[in-house]
Amino acid sequence: MSNPKENLMEKRIGTISIFVGKNADKTSVNDLLSSFSPLILARQGLPFREKELSIICLIVEGESDVINQLSGKLGRLSDVEVKTVLLKQ
């Protein structure tokens, strides 16, 4: 039987979708992404001008707790919505 604490420390792969509204502080979004850059394997952004919305998609790899920290901090920003999906292993 494996130790539950060891499972928490395993690296997971996942995606984070970030929806940045027109009133969001884009500098704060980018600062957070920069501070968590070791997690980010790939980043793609799309300015959706007609909807006054920007969409950022990340592929991440790291410990679940750290990925969830990033998602939580982004989600607490005004006019920012975040959805995270982690691969089950």
Side-chain angles (χ1 to χ4, degrees), residues 26-65:
K26 291 152 186 72
T27 301
S28 293
V29 172
N30 283 314
D31 288 347
L32 270 173
L33 294 179
S34 292
S35 68
F36 283 84
S37 63
L39 291 178
I40 300 170
L41 300 176
R43 173 181 173 167
Q44 182 177 23
L46 174 71
F48 200 167
R49 291 179 186 90
E50 298 83 33
K51 302 275 185 188
E52 296 183 323
L53 174 72
S54 294
I55 303 168
I56 302 170
C57 298
L58 305 176
I59 298 173
V60 295
E61 181 182 34
E63 295 173 8
S64 298
D65 289 349

Side-chain angles (χ1 to χ4, degrees), residues 9-10 14-15 19 23 26 28 36-37 42 45 52 54 56 60 64 67 69-70 74-75 80-81 84 87-88:
M9 301 306 283
E10 288 180 13
T15 61
F19 302 90
N23 296 320
K26 291 152 186 72
S28 293
F36 283 84
S37 63
E52 296 183 323
S54 294
I56 302 170
V60 295
S64 298
I67 294 170
Q69 269 184 353
L70 172 57
L74 286 166
V80 175
E81 289 186 43
T84 303
L87 183 65
K88 292 180 184 179

